[in-house]
Amino acid sequence: MRGTQTVRDMVLSMAVIGVVVAGIYLFIPHDPSKDPVKQVDYRVELDTARRAAPYPVAAPEGLPKSWRATSVTYDGGNPDGAAWHLGFLDQDNQYVAVEQSNGRPSKFVTKVSQGAEKTGRTQQVGAERWDRYEGPKYDALVLEERGVTTVVTGTASYAQLAKMAATLRLESPGGR
C-alpha cells in the first residue's frame, strides 16, 4: 500500500509542477518577431583599423538600410597577418562578411570561408575580377592584390556577395 501512495504522490507532484511551469511560461512575454541579433555601429573600429592597418581597409558605402552590421573586429597583432572583419545580415537574414588580411592568402581564405574551395570561375564586380569559392557552409568572392587579400563570404547568394563587393571602398593606411 505504501509503494502505491508514493508513486501516486510523485505523479501528482509532477502534475502540479507542470501546471506551475506552464503558467509561468504563459505570463512571461515572448516576442517572436524580435530579432535576437544585435546591430553594431562599426565606425570607430573602421577608423581605428584604417589608421593601424598596413593595407587599405575595405568597408561598404551605400548599402541599403535593410543590411545590418552585426560584428566587427580588427586584429593588428595576429602573427599570421593583420586581419579586418566586418559582418552583416542582408535583408533576407543571410550572413555576408568582409574579411581582409595581409597574411598568406591560401590560409586566410580557407579560414574565413570555412573551407570553401576555388571553383576556377570568376565574377566581374565593377572593374575587378573576383575568384569564386564554394564551400559546404559559406561561398566566397576573393580578390588577391599585392599586399592584401579581400574576401566577401557568407551564406548569401553570389549575387548578394557581389552586391557587397561592389559597395566596398578602400581607404589607405593612416586615412590617406
Side-chain angles (χ1 to χ4, degrees), residues 137-157:
K137 186 169 182 177
Y138 290 169
D139 292 329
L141 296 175
V142 177
L143 182 63
E144 289 184 42
E145 298 175 298
R146 201 169 133 226
V148 64
T149 301
T150 304
V151 180
V152 178
T153 188
T155 58
S157 67

Side-chain angles (χ1 to χ4, degrees), residues 54-71:
Y55 50 81
V57 174
E61 285 183 10
L63 272 180
K65 296 272 187 224
S66 57
W67 289 59
R68 298 167 297 158
T70 59
S71 58

